[in-house]
Amino acid sequence: MEQAAAVDPILDLARPSILRNPYPSYDRMRETGPVFWHELLGSWVLTRHADCLAVLTDSNRFASDWRRAGEDIPAPLLSVQTLDPPEHTAIRHLLLDGFRAQDRRALHDDLEGQIADLLAELAGRPSFDLVGELAEPIALRFVTAFLGVPAPELDWFVPMSRTVVDGMDAGLWPEKHEPAVAARAQLAEYAGGWLADPPKDGLIAYVAEHAADSGVAETVLRNSLRAVLHAGYESASRLLGNAAAALLTTPGALDAFRATPVTAVDELIRYDAPVQADARVCVTDTELGGVTMKAGDPVTLFLGAANHDPLRFDHPTELRLDRAPNPHLGFGRGAHACLGASMAIRLTGSVLGTLATDHPGARAVAEPEHRRNLTLRGLDRFEVCLRPDTGEEVRP
């Protein structure tokens, strides 16, 4: 009898049944070997919270800028996301100062009205796709309003954004790399147009006014604005989708959200975070997790696994909306922690709070469908109804 072919633990994550819930697979990886070398990725893989946190917070030994390990990085990939200090410091400070200069309260107040109106409109429907008709348009409106620019057409932007996300898995599927680089370049060119004719308000206005004194190269500036647009949209839209799916498929969770809104969003991020993986490159020989990593070795951090590490979280498989403290790694840590984390958390809280308060009968009418992405986890479609289930057929 022939032996069954060995199952690759990482490629296996792309199977539809595993995509629905990858966390038992992460547990098996952690139990088998929390730090291991993966041949196809050509990378060390980390699954424990402590190890992932150590790498995220040590930019001296673990680089985001792969040029420090001798790699040739295409110009469209040089941005606030991929540079390290000290080069990273100038662009991050410019963007952070721009974030702080915005009237975020007014932005959120305006958006909460839009959220309530959109949900009220969708409540009149028998059902709707929460991803395409709520999470994606609201996230794009939110990030572009913060930037101070008009929102691009969803039909143009969403496929472009998804191509970039697909490229994040190019270590497993190399054919996704070149289309993603081209999409990044096109989005950076689009973002560069904002600087040529900046708006009067918003983050772009601030950046345009202070760019000349920042010492940031124009290419890095354009790429970083592209990154803010893309990362802000993808993080917010995928977080909304994942969080809504968790609330509407866990009995009693929507009611519990109303009682614990402050801690609930952090727990929803920990429970099913959009950012499942991140990567660094070792720049000096380092011992971590019982193995010696050589300079030049890639390191893949499974943050989704770290967020379910029983050494860090009690009962990690349970959705506990009152969990505190909650030191999840959903938005990273260290120099490259997500710039817009607080905004994504506030947006998610606003949408889910309105859903829980104004539409307590909201329910899933079909299983969530996940996109075939391993680095950024998110839904492709999720059909829901905002009317309570009366046992009668719902008609238009």
Side-chain angles (χ1 to χ4, degrees):
M1 179 182 296
E2 293 184 354
Q3 285 187 329
V7 174
D8 184 291
I10 294 180
L11 284 175
D12 200 45
L13 294 170
R15 287 199 292 127
S17 59
I18 306 298
L19 274 176
R20 285 195 291 272
N21 181 13
Y23 300 105
S25 296
Y26 291 149
D27 290 343
R28 287 190 291 272
M29 289 184 208
R30 192 188 308 106
E31 292 163 3
T32 302
V35 181
F36 64 94
W37 180 261
H38 190 264
E39 287 294 339
L40 180 56
L41 281 177
S43 172
W44 292 104
V45 175
L46 309 183
T47 57
R48 286 189 300 213
H49 186 281
D51 295 333
C52 290
L53 180 61
V55 172
L56 289 172
T57 54
D58 189 350
S59 59
N60 290 323
R61 293 188 298 170
F62 298 97
S64 294
D65 188 344
W66 289 57
R67 295 176 301 176
R68 293 172 59 193
E71 295 283 340
D72 183 21
I73 304 300
L77 301 185
L78 297 177
S79 74
V80 67
Q81 293 178 317
T82 61
L83 298 174
D84 282 328
E87 193 176 1
H88 170 264
T89 305
I91 179 60
R92 185 172 178 88
H93 281 180
L94 176 62
L95 293 174
L96 275 175
D97 289 345
F99 270 68
R100 293 170 181 141
Q102 306 310 307
D103 186 349
R104 283 174 281 182
R105 180 181 295 275
L107 175 67
H108 282 288
D109 288 347
D110 181 62
L111 193 71
E112 284 183 350
Q114 295 183 44
I115 291 167
D117 291 345
L118 181 54
L119 282 170
E121 176 187 334
L122 294 170
R125 306 250 301 272
S127 68
F128 66 96
D129 172 25
L130 184 140
V131 177
E133 298 180 85
L134 178 63
E136 291 180 342
I138 282 291
L140 189 57
R141 286 185 209 174
F142 181 65
V143 70
T144 51
F146 183 76
L147 290 168
V149 296
E153 292 294 329
L154 279 167
D155 290 346
W156 174 79
F157 179 79
V158 171
M160 189 84 62
S161 183
R162 289 182 174 182
T163 298
V164 173
V165 173
D166 289 346
M168 296 176 184
D169 293 333
L172 297 174
W173 300 290
E175 69 277 6
K176 297 179 181 292
H177 176 69
E178 289 301 328
V181 171
R184 277 189 171 94
Q186 190 168 345
L187 284 176
E189 183 178 357
Y190 175 75
W194 299 332
L195 293 175
D197 184 20
K200 294 181 179 180
D201 300 302
L203 179 65
I204 301 299
Y206 182 93
V207 168
E209 182 180 353
H210 295 86
D213 299 325
S214 69
V216 178
E218 183 179 351
T219 299
V220 170
L221 188 57
R222 288 192 293 108
N223 292 343
S224 297
L225 292 176
R226 178 267 304 161
V228 171
L229 169 66
H230 178 258
Y233 162 77
E234 286 289 354
S235 296
S237 63
R238 289 176 185 248
L239 174 56
L240 275 172
N242 294 353
L247 287 183
L248 298 182
T249 59
T250 303
L254 193 60
D255 288 336
F257 184 91
R258 288 195 296 273
T260 58
V262 175
T263 59
V265 175
D266 265 332
E267 173 65 354
L268 288 163
I269 297 167
R270 182 205 68 83
Y271 185 72
D272 199 17
V275 182
Q276 292 281 297
D278 203 352
R280 298 289 189 270
V281 61
C282 189
V283 293
T284 185
D285 291 0
T286 300
E287 184 174 337
L288 184 68
V291 305
T292 299
M293 301 175 182
K294 299 292 186 180
D297 283 353
V299 183
T300 299
L301 320 175
F302 272 149
L303 304 181
N307 287 334
H308 282 241
D309 185 351
L311 294 176
R312 193 64 186 87
F313 300 97
D314 292 334
H315 305 285
T317 62
E318 298 178 10
L319 180 65
R320 296 187 168 186
L321 297 180
D322 60 352
R323 188 186 298 270
N326 196 336
H328 64 77
L329 304 179
F331 286 113
R333 295 288 181 86
H336 287 276
C338 178
L339 284 166
S342 62
M343 296 173 58
I345 290 170
R346 178 71 180 271
L347 173 63
T348 302
S350 294
V351 174
L352 298 181
T354 303
L355 185 70
T357 302
D358 295 355
H359 308 279
R363 55 194 169 89
V365 298
E367 287 290 323
E369 300 173 22
H370 288 83
R371 291 193 58 77
R372 189 172 176 261
N373 296 129
L374 302 187
T375 300
L376 282 191
R377 177 169 170 79
L379 303 183
D380 194 37
R381 184 176 182 84
F382 183 33
E383 199 73 15
V384 305
C385 176
L386 299 186
R387 304 176 186 178
D389 186 1
T390 62
E392 299 177 359
E393 182 181 358
V394 177
R395 297 182 180 277

